[in-house]
Amino acid sequence: MNIVLYILKSKASSMRYIGITNNLQNRIKRHRINQSVLKRMLGEFELIYTEDYSDYKSARKREKYFKSGVGREWMNKNL
């Protein structure tokens, strides 16, 4: 199974969203629906980063890293 970690960034602010999925195209399509919580939170957004993983456990570990203080610092410097 291929799992993708992805980071979305609001076009209007510096807000980011970090998630994991096994179907990136479908997940982004669902995020773009006007009634979605993410759409209301970020407004228009863009995909700014992805990483591929072979298993859910590894992707989830990395997702938690990006949601930590150290992970946010890495994103601020590199993305």
Side-chain angles (χ1 to χ4, degrees):
M1 181 190 325
N2 187 38
I3 305 295
V4 178
L5 173 136
Y6 62 96
I7 301 174
L8 305 174
K9 183 177 181 296
S10 170
K11 290 183 177 182
S13 71
S14 62
M15 285 185 79
R16 291 180 295 238
Y17 177 84
I18 301 136
I20 54 177
T21 184
N22 63 351
N23 186 336
L24 183 60
Q25 304 298 54
N26 185 51
R27 188 68 182 124
I28 289 176
K29 184 178 178 180
R30 288 177 27 219
H31 282 319
R32 290 195 191 280
I33 295 172
N34 286 334
Q35 291 85 14
S36 78
V37 173
L38 182 67
K39 177 74 172 185
R40 289 191 306 256
M41 186 174 77
L42 293 181
E44 291 298 316
F45 60 84
E46 60 186 333
L47 177 67
I48 61 168
Y49 188 76
T50 61
E51 290 180 355
D52 292 322
Y53 292 89
S54 59
D55 62 284
Y56 179 84
K57 187 176 179 180
S58 298
R60 181 70 176 120
K61 184 177 178 181
R62 186 69 165 164
E63 179 186 28
K64 285 181 179 183
Y65 165 79
F66 279 123
K67 291 179 176 181
S68 73
V70 175
R72 284 191 300 272
E73 283 180 29
W74 185 92
M75 287 188 290
N76 289 340
K77 290 179 185 175
N78 296 287
L79 300 179

